[in-house]
């Protein structure tokens, strides 16, 4: 960290700035731009569940930005696959809390693709800077009359001089009935961190294709391609023996990489979304509570999780960033 005597205002090197977008479908959206002073910079989208839209390290972009760009919640088209019309992707899109994966009908409840929480604006959001730590605090209410009463309290933190980002979520059931709870962190790697030379390593014991399209290339699930016209997405489920799974990406062309770590008791699976299409060029690394078969099938199989009245469930991930391949290789 540069000595305080060399600069006038903290934001010359680190800190948080709040912005609003002007124009297009993102008009008026609140964004918190965070810099930690040692190469890590990211943007938190207050109006999209305090998700992380952009992230860079040492000036290199790490995330994929979907062709929809920034889209305010007012434009969300809920039924079926309408989620895709406003799927910003970004570095993190939170999926849940009532469904992850395919849209389904579960009894009298219609569950759209990946749930609705990513299209909910934070009811309250603010930042703190204390003792070298920057934190974004957000509260997202996922509530509906006669239905679920869930609250997501989120904290995103980083430290000056340390290139580690931590995300901690607490989901509370403030209602009087057991509620289904499904959660997926849709973390999206993009160019230039992602290209045909990108290395992918996952500490999984088993890798299972989601469908026949993925099964065709099961032996090369970890090999990236150059952008392919009309590529059909391939998804793989990763299962773990370790209590602390790790998924990591490195690109020698860009000279940077990252490692994502989480607690297996919170997220037993990771979905790998390998999408090598032209313009739709993204690698999703997605820790999740369940496979993406929709909650109706999970209920039938006895795999659907519930949160009881008054219960609080904790979730989170840690992301570490690297500019040396040797350190990346050693990361666990």
């Amino acid at each position: 960290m540069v000595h305080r005597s060399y600069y006038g205002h903290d934001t010359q090197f680190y800190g948080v700035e709040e912005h609003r977008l002007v124009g297009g479908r993102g008009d008026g959206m609140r964004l918190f731009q965070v810099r930690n002073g040692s190469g890590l910079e990211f943007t938190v989208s207050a109006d999209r569940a305090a998700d992380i839209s952009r992230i860079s390290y040492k000036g290199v972009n790490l995330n994929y930005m979907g062709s929809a760009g920034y889209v305010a919640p007012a434009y969300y088209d809920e039924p079926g696959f309408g989620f895709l019309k406003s799927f910003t992707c970004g570095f993190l899109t939170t999926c849940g809390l009532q469904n992850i994966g395919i849209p389904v009908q579960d009894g009298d409840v219609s569950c759209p693709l990946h749930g609705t929480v990513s299209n909910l604006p934070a009811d309250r959001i603010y930042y703190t800077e204390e003792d070298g730590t920057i934190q974004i605090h957000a509260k997202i209410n996922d509530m509906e009359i006669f239905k679920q009463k869930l609250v997501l309290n989120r904290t995103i933190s980083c430290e000056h001089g340390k290139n580690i980002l931590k995300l901690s979520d607490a989901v509370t059931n403030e209602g009087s009935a057991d509620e289904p709870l499904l959660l997926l962190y849709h973390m999206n790697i993009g160019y230039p961190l992602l290209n045909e030379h990108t290395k992918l390593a996952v500490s999984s014991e088993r890798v299972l294709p989601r469908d026949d399209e993925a099964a065709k290339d099961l032996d090369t699930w970890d090999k990236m391609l150059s952008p392919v016209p009309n590529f059909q997405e391939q998804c793989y489920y990763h299962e773990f023996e370790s209590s602390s799974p790790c998924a990591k990406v490195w690109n020698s062309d860009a000279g940077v990489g990252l490692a994502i770590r989480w607690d297996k008791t919170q997220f037993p699976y990771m979905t790998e979304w390998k999408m090598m299409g032209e313009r739709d060029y993204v690698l999703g690394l997605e820790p999740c509570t369940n496979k993406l078969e929709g909650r109706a099938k999970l209920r039938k199989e006895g795999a659907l999780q519930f949160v009881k009245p008054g219960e609080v469930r904790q979730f989170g991930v840690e992301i570490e960033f690297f500019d040396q391949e040797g350190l990346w290789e050693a990361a666990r």
Side-chain angles (χ1 to χ4, degrees), residues 236-292:
Y236 301 94
Y237 295 127
H238 291 254
E239 298 180 348
F240 303 89
E241 295 294 338
S242 169
S243 61
S244 301
C246 178
K248 55 185 187 176
V249 175
W250 172 266
N251 189 297
S252 295
D253 296 341
V256 295
L258 58 81
I260 304 166
R261 305 181 182 95
W262 65 94
D263 185 336
K264 181 187 170 184
T265 63
Q266 298 174 358
F267 296 117
Y269 307 99
M270 188 196 80
T271 301
E272 174 194 345
W273 178 41
K274 186 176 176 182
M275 183 61 220
M276 302 282 96
E278 289 186 344
R279 299 290 301 275
D280 300 328
Y281 189 68
V282 52
L283 172 67
L285 303 175
E286 308 167 15
C288 46
T289 56
N290 302 90
K291 295 178 181 178
L292 310 187

Side-chain angles (χ1 to χ4, degrees), residues 129-176:
E129 295 184 68
E130 297 179 0
D131 299 325
T133 298
I134 299 172
Q135 292 188 325
I136 304 287
H137 305 269
K139 178 183 180 182
I140 299 96
N141 283 333
D142 189 355
M143 298 190 180
E144 188 174 343
I145 191 169
F146 309 135
K147 294 185 180 179
Q148 78 280 355
K149 306 292 187 291
L150 301 179
V151 176
L152 170 64
N153 282 290
R154 168 164 291 179
T155 302
I156 301 171
S157 62
C158 64
E159 296 182 37
H160 307 324
K162 290 186 178 180
N163 290 307
I164 295 177
L165 184 153
K166 296 180 180 180
L167 183 146
S168 300
D169 283 341
V171 179
T172 304
N173 182 359
E174 295 190 353
S176 54

Side-chain angles (χ1 to χ4, degrees), residues 195-259:
N195 68 14
E196 57 273 22
H197 302 132
T198 297
K199 293 182 179 180
L200 169 63
V202 183
S203 64
S204 48
E205 293 295 324
R206 289 171 296 279
V207 182
L208 307 172
R210 185 183 68 174
D211 53 24
D212 291 342
E213 185 63 33
K216 292 192 311 185
D217 296 317
L218 177 59
D219 291 342
T220 57
W221 63 264
D222 59 343
K223 300 296 186 292
M224 301 299 111
L225 309 174
S226 301
V228 178
N230 304 312
F231 186 86
Q232 294 186 51
E233 66 177 6
Q234 297 175 326
C235 289
Y236 301 94
Y237 295 127
H238 291 254
E239 298 180 348
F240 303 89
E241 295 294 338
S242 169
S243 61
S244 301
C246 178
K248 55 185 187 176
V249 175
W250 172 266
N251 189 297
S252 295
D253 296 341
V256 295
L258 58 81

Side-chain angles (χ1 to χ4, degrees), residues 24 39 42-43 70 87 108 116 121 154 173 177 193 213 218 256 322:
F42 59 94
T43 304
Y70 281 110
F87 187 24
D108 62 352
T116 60
R154 168 164 291 179
N173 182 359
L193 178 56
E213 185 63 33
L218 177 59
V256 295
F322 302 90

Side-chain angles (χ1 to χ4, degrees), residues 16-19 30-34 42-46 125-127 136:
V16 184
E17 295 178 345
E18 186 175 355
H19 305 275
R30 297 171 65 194
L31 304 175
F32 289 78
Q33 185 176 2
V34 182
F42 59 94
T43 304
V44 176
S45 183
I125 186 167
Y126 65 96
Y127 69 89
I136 304 287

